Amino acid sequence: MSQTVLNNDSAEPLYRQLENLLAEKIDNGTLAPGSKLPTENELVDTYHVSRVTVRKALDALSQRGYLERRSGKGTFVAEEKLQRPLNGVVGFSQMCREMGCVPGGKTIRRSIELASEKEAAKLGIPEDSQILVIERIRYADGHPLLLETTKFTEDFLFLMNEDLSDKSMYELLDKKKGIRFTKSVKTVDIVFANSQEAKYLEVSKGYPLLRIESVAEDATGTVRHLAKQLCVGDKLKLRV
């Protein structure tokens, strides 16, 4: 990074000047997403400012979502987050493609289970009816982003024999059965990864995850599936 002198005579604080300068470099691609930022000492030498000024600038950029601090590794330019709308229905594969990422998926469980009282009520089926449960890891550009558990009524048992690897389930259902989802009611909260979830998502145990639970309806207003997604929250932006 070439030497740059900030304006000591400006009314704008030095930390704010440094914050804006680094933000501009990130916005124009000079500092690429995922790249490691120079150390605090290097920034002090480059911009002729104090360590306190550097830290205030980096703290502000972290709060704005420009930077990610990784324990024991340093400070990195934040990767661009995938944007998922909370209203409407957008499948994971479509979301990835709209953001210029390659979607992927790996099925880790398929089973036929008895619906709980709560699940049966949401799906509009008798209690203890059989339901199909599919659990998948979803990837963006080869990186695990979310763990997805989807529950369907018996009408969807044909999915037991479908190849769902790197496939959009929504696109498959549209193609095979003409089913399109038009409404999804979601609830969102924060949970912490257990050992198995952490392994699947390649994060540490106890890592904060966004839990998105949804009830999806088709064009007739019929509830067709329930879903729970555990998302690596620092890689996903929810759009209201």
Side-chain angles (χ1 to χ4, degrees), residues 118-138:
K118 186 176 180 180
E119 291 166 345
K122 288 182 178 180
L123 289 167
I125 57 177
E127 190 176 344
D128 290 336
S129 295
Q130 288 187 330
I131 57 173
L132 171 64
V133 181
I134 299 175
E135 190 172 12
R136 296 194 293 169
I137 304 171
R138 305 307 305 275

Side-chain angles (χ1 to χ4, degrees), residues 130-236:
Q130 288 187 330
I131 57 173
L132 171 64
V133 181
I134 299 175
E135 190 172 12
R136 296 194 293 169
I137 304 171
R138 305 307 305 275
Y139 299 87
D141 286 342
H143 301 290
L145 183 65
L146 60 87
L147 183 62
E148 176 184 75
T149 304
T150 314
K151 300 181 179 182
F152 295 94
T153 60
E154 288 182 290
D155 308 67
F156 295 84
L157 288 181
F158 71 94
L159 290 173
M160 284 290 287
N161 302 313
E162 291 287 342
D163 178 12
L164 299 175
S165 298
D166 299 329
K167 301 283 179 64
S168 165
M169 200 178 298
Y170 278 5
E171 291 171 8
L172 177 67
L173 291 173
D174 186 10
K175 180 179 179 181
K176 293 267 186 177
K177 301 290 184 178
I179 296 172
R180 296 184 181 182
F181 297 94
T182 58
K183 181 180 179 182
S184 179
V185 178
K186 299 179 179 70
T187 59
V188 181
D189 63 356
I190 301 292
V191 296
F192 301 94
N194 62 31
S195 298
Q196 191 62 62
E197 293 161 352
K199 180 181 178 181
Y200 287 143
L201 294 172
E202 299 179 7
V203 296
S204 58
K205 181 181 178 182
Y207 196 89
L209 303 173
L210 280 175
R211 178 171 59 186
I212 304 174
E213 295 185 321
S214 57
V215 180
E217 299 178 6
D218 65 13
T220 69
T222 303
V223 174
R224 305 309 295 257
H225 79 73
L226 311 176
K228 180 183 75 174
Q229 295 175 325
L230 299 178
C231 313
V232 182
D234 56 6
K235 297 180 181 177
L236 184 71

Side-chain angles (χ1 to χ4, degrees), residues 35-190:
S35 64
K36 187 174 182 179
L37 211 67
T39 65
E40 289 184 1
N41 286 338
E42 290 171 333
L43 291 171
V44 166
D45 291 341
T46 298
Y47 295 105
H48 308 290
V49 292
S50 69
R51 187 183 294 272
V52 171
T53 294
V54 168
R55 286 180 177 171
K56 288 182 70 173
L58 297 184
D59 286 343
L61 287 167
S62 296
Q63 292 175 6
R64 291 169 62 184
Y66 276 95
L67 301 177
E68 295 176 354
R69 263 78 178 266
R70 301 178 190 173
S71 180
K73 295 182 179 180
T75 302
F76 294 79
V77 178
E79 300 279 1
E80 185 176 9
K81 295 184 179 182
L82 292 172
Q83 298 188 41
R84 160 156 282 184
L86 275 179
N87 54 351
V89 181
V90 176
F92 179 82
S93 295
Q94 180 183 343
M95 176 186 70
C96 282
R97 289 193 288 262
E98 288 177 354
M99 296 297 294
C101 299
V102 178
K106 177 183 178 183
T107 303
I108 54 179
R109 179 167 70 99
R110 273 190 262 208
S111 61
I112 298 173
E113 303 176 5
L114 294 180
S116 68
E117 180 178 358
K118 186 176 180 180
E119 291 166 345
K122 288 182 178 180
L123 289 167
I125 57 177
E127 190 176 344
D128 290 336
S129 295
Q130 288 187 330
I131 57 173
L132 171 64
V133 181
I134 299 175
E135 190 172 12
R136 296 194 293 169
I137 304 171
R138 305 307 305 275
Y139 299 87
D141 286 342
H143 301 290
L145 183 65
L146 60 87
L147 183 62
E148 176 184 75
T149 304
T150 314
K151 300 181 179 182
F152 295 94
T153 60
E154 288 182 290
D155 308 67
F156 295 84
L157 288 181
F158 71 94
L159 290 173
M160 284 290 287
N161 302 313
E162 291 287 342
D163 178 12
L164 299 175
S165 298
D166 299 329
K167 301 283 179 64
S168 165
M169 200 178 298
Y170 278 5
E171 291 171 8
L172 177 67
L173 291 173
D174 186 10
K175 180 179 179 181
K176 293 267 186 177
K177 301 290 184 178
I179 296 172
R180 296 184 181 182
F181 297 94
T182 58
K183 181 180 179 182
S184 179
V185 178
K186 299 179 179 70
T187 59
V188 181
D189 63 356
I190 301 292

